[in-house]
Amino acid sequence: MPNPFILANWKMCKTPSETEALLSEILPALGNGSGVDVVVAPPFTNLTVAARLLAGSGVSLAGQDCHWEEEGPYTGQVSARMLVESGCRYVLLGHSELRQFAGDTDQRVNLKARMALFWDLVPIVCVGEQRDERASGHAEMVVEAQLNRCLDSLSVARPRGLMVAYEPVWAIGTGHLPTPSEVSSVHHIIRSTLLQAFGVKLGSTIPILYGGSVTTESVGPMLALDVVDGVLVGGASLRAESFLPLVAEVKACGPQEA
Ligand code: PGA
């Protein structure tokens, strides 16, 4: 059984010095990181300082986005190659806040994922329904269609070379969570979409995370679902007091040392 994932999405929070302070506080407490795969996604300006502190810690670094072109006249954007050189192993793509505020579409996410894979970054593709789509019973259909567009003609070369995060838009930052059976049903659809797109051998290795208002209380029941391979955490990842207990919970849900 692979380790469960916990990805800390700091969004537009923390300056470089605040990054240094938080990582200096949490890294010693995380120990050698065995039994859980921790990934931190700070703002772009903090990647270099984070990479320096994370070296040898077992904690990995992620970018919060990348552009679909290699380089060029794209003011304000960051390329996949820049992320790699800054120490990232992962990149979040298609987060609902980028879809809402920066015009990201599934087609764009697909192009970004191609560029990320070209540079051997692991794309973490975010999908999720709006509140009215959930209310009208269309969540599964919406997520399946989103994912198919995001994955169109992608070629993933190695096991776990891609991840998918199911983030219902209405659950992000609201304190409202889907029920375990709602999560389970969407994760099953995601898994079958992945198996269709990449075949059983590769498709079954791609981790599927849940994200949206994850807390120490909600994470256990979420990970108890065998279709949930990890969690993506926003608000609760910004302070050591809330993040460390969460990591401990995630670890307790993973393979136990003999
Ligand atoms: P939240 O954010 O944990 O604050 O709901 C999750 C996310 O946006 O990835």
Side-chain angles (χ1 to χ4, degrees):
M1 175 181 172
N3 288 340
F5 267 97
I6 176 163
L7 189 140
N9 176 13
W10 290 0
K11 309 190 179 189
M12 198 177 74
C13 301
K14 308 286 176 198
T15 63
S17 64
E18 289 164 351
T19 294
E20 183 152 9
L22 181 55
L23 289 179
S24 306
E25 193 177 353
I26 63 174
L27 287 177
L30 289 177
N32 65 1
S34 68
V36 52
D37 288 348
V38 182
V39 183
V40 181
F44 297 134
T45 47
N46 310 354
L47 289 173
T48 312
V49 69
R52 178 169 52 74
L53 290 159
L54 295 183
S57 70
V59 174
S60 305
L61 197 56
Q64 293 181 12
D65 188 25
C66 72
H67 199 268
W68 60 87
E69 291 289 351
E70 181 98 43
E71 65 175 9
Y74 302 101
T75 303
Q77 305 303 302
V78 165
S79 74
R81 190 158 69 99
M82 291 170 192
L83 295 183
V84 172
E85 201 173 313
S86 304
C88 292
R89 215 173 125 197
Y90 300 91
V91 59
L92 269 177
L93 294 178
H95 190 282
S96 69
E97 285 149 17
L98 279 162
R99 292 175 186 262
Q100 188 185 347
F101 300 122
D104 260 11
T105 59
D106 296 325
Q107 286 75 14
R108 264 199 207 174
V109 173
N110 176 256
L111 294 175
K112 290 176 176 194
R114 289 172 195 225
M115 186 53 77
L117 288 166
F118 177 81
W119 285 102
D120 209 20
L121 278 169
V122 177
I124 303 169
V125 172
C126 302
V127 288
E129 81 282 0
Q130 303 283 342
R131 187 184 299 278
D132 58 334
E133 294 165 335
R134 162 62 61 193
S136 61
H138 294 122
E140 285 79 1
M141 206 180 82
V142 166
V143 169
E144 185 181 13
Q146 274 181 346
L147 192 58
N148 273 319
R149 287 189 293 264
C150 291
L151 301 181
D152 183 35
S153 310
L154 276 196
S155 87
V156 176
R158 58 188 165 88
R160 294 160 79 82
L162 172 78
M163 304 216 273
V164 176
Y166 169 49
E167 297 211 302
V169 179
W170 54 272
I172 295 175
T174 60
H176 299 297
L177 284 139
T179 64
S181 84
E182 288 170 339
V183 172
S184 186
S185 152
V186 174
H187 277 231
H188 271 113
I189 295 284
I190 293 176
R191 179 61 69 204
S192 63
T193 306
L194 292 171
L195 295 178
Q196 252 169 35
F198 301 111
V200 175
K201 205 161 162 223
L202 203 61
S204 59
T205 70
I206 296 172
I208 307 175
L209 315 183
Y210 168 79
S213 293
V214 172
T215 59
T216 324
E217 291 73 44
S218 58
V219 76
M222 210 52 97
L223 284 169
L225 301 170
D226 60 3
V227 289
V228 178
D229 302 309
V231 286
L232 210 160
V233 187
S237 72
L238 294 173
R239 288 177 309 120
E241 304 85 85
S242 47
F243 188 60
L244 289 173
L246 245 176
V247 175
E249 283 289 330
V250 173
K251 186 172 173 168
C253 296
Q256 300 305 306
E257 286 155 29

